[in-house]
Amino acid sequence: MESPITSAVVLIGGLGTRLRPLTYQRPKALLPLLNRPLIAYEIELFARHGVTDLVMAVAYGAEAIRAELGDGGRWGVRLHYVEEKERLDTAGAIRNAAHLLDGPFFACNGDLVYDVDLGAMARAHLDTGALVTFCLRAVEDISAYGLIQCDEAGRVTAFKEKVAYDETGRNTVNSGFYAMGPEVLEAIPENVAYSNERQLFPGLLEAGRPLYGWVAPPDVYWSDVGRIETYLQTHAALLGGA
C-alpha cells in the first residue's frame, strides 16, 4: 500500500560496536547481507511504498556511505545526508535533519530488515492525529526489548525497558520504527545528545502528548541486525525465503 507519508529519517551514524570486529573497517549500514549493503533492505522497503525522500543521518563512516549509496537513483528515491559533528544520539540525530523535513515523516534505526506495510502504518498515524506512532511487534519473550503498553484505543500509556512480564497480556515491544508529526522536532533540543527512548518519548508521554501504537501483523518478518548472532540469523532467514 502506497504511503501518504513520503519522507523518512534513517539513523545510520552508530559505531556498530556489537558487530565488531566486522565494523572496524566499514560502517554497519554497509555490511554485506546476501551481497547487498544492509541499509539497501530499508531503502527498498521505503521505495516499495512510495517514500521517496530519505534523509540519511550519518556519522561514523559517512564518506564510505555516501560513496556507496550516492543519490539513491538506483532505487528510485532521493537520498539526502546530514552528518553529526558530535554524537547526538537517536533523537538528536533526527533533530539534526529538521531543515530537510516538511510535514510528517518516518524515522527508523538503520539496522532493520523489515517487511511492514508503511501505507497502513502511515494512515493509522494520520487518522489518530498522533504526534508519534510506534510500530509495535507482539513477541513471546519481552525481556530483551522495550515494552510499550497501550490502552484499548491504541494510545500509549507506559514505556518499560526490558521487563519480564506485561500485565496487559499484549507483549508489544518497540521495533525501532516510527511515524512522527513535524511538531516532535520542537521537543528535541538542538545540537545536543538526546535519546528517543530515555528522554524524548518518556517526556512526551509525561506531557500528555498523543502517542499511539500500531501493531504489525504477526507474519511480518523483522530482524534487528545489531549483533553478530542476529546478523548470521538474518542471512539464514533470507536464504530460506523469509
Side-chain angles (χ1 to χ4, degrees):
M1 185 184 299
E2 187 144 320
S3 169
I5 296 175
T6 58
S7 299
V9 180
V10 186
L11 306 179
I12 55 174
L15 296 173
T17 54
R18 294 179 299 163
L19 280 164
R20 289 175 176 169
L22 301 180
T23 51
Y24 279 132
Q25 299 298 321
R26 69 175 80 192
K28 178 167 57 174
L30 299 185
L31 288 180
L33 186 59
L34 300 191
N35 292 328
R36 288 190 289 155
L38 169 59
I39 194 60
Y41 290 83
E42 282 190 282
I43 295 174
E44 290 166 1
L45 171 68
F46 284 121
R48 286 198 303 272
H49 292 89
V51 183
T52 52
D53 281 283
L54 309 181
V55 182
M56 315 305 282
V58 298
Y60 173 65
E63 290 308 314
I65 291 170
R66 284 192 182 94
E68 175 64 29
L69 304 183
D71 64 3
R74 79 185 85 165
W75 295 285
V77 301
R78 292 177 291 274
L79 297 184
H80 315 272
Y81 298 89
V82 289
E83 185 172 352
E84 299 173 18
K85 302 307 179 184
E86 298 181 358
R87 307 302 299 179
L88 294 176
D89 212 329
T90 47
I94 293 171
R95 179 64 178 83
N96 198 40
H99 62 288
L100 294 171
L101 300 170
D102 181 18
F105 60 94
F106 291 106
C108 64
N109 299 330
D111 53 7
L112 303 175
V113 178
Y114 214 176
D115 194 25
V116 70
D117 185 340
L118 298 185
M121 181 181 173
R123 285 177 172 79
H125 173 74
L126 298 175
D127 287 347
T128 60
L131 181 61
V132 180
T133 298
F134 299 81
C135 185
L136 305 179
R137 298 183 304 116
V139 299
E140 290 187 13
D141 182 4
I142 64 174
S143 60
Y145 303 101
L147 176 69
I148 298 180
Q149 295 176 325
C150 302
D151 63 18
E152 294 296 331
R155 186 156 180 163
V156 174
T157 58
F159 298 103
K160 299 182 179 181
E161 278 298 319
K162 298 177 177 57
V163 296
Y165 175 72
D166 178 11
E167 63 273 17
T168 72
R170 297 188 179 96
N171 283 19
T172 49
V173 301
N174 188 355
S175 70
F177 210 112
Y178 319 104
M180 296 182 167
E183 299 83 5
V184 77
L185 300 169
E186 300 169 7
I188 307 171
E190 191 173 5
N191 297 322
V192 299
Y194 207 71
S195 166
N196 281 334
E197 294 80 9
R198 294 186 302 275
Q199 293 167 291
L200 176 63
F201 297 151
L204 293 174
L205 181 63
E206 185 177 357
R209 305 301 295 274
L211 311 179
Y212 280 81
W214 180 82
V215 183
D219 59 344
V220 165
Y221 180 74
W222 176 89
S223 179
D224 172 359
V225 192
R227 307 187 312 277
I228 294 291
E229 310 92 271
T230 54
Y231 181 59
L232 296 174
Q233 289 164 6
T234 306
H235 273 91
L238 296 179
L239 285 168

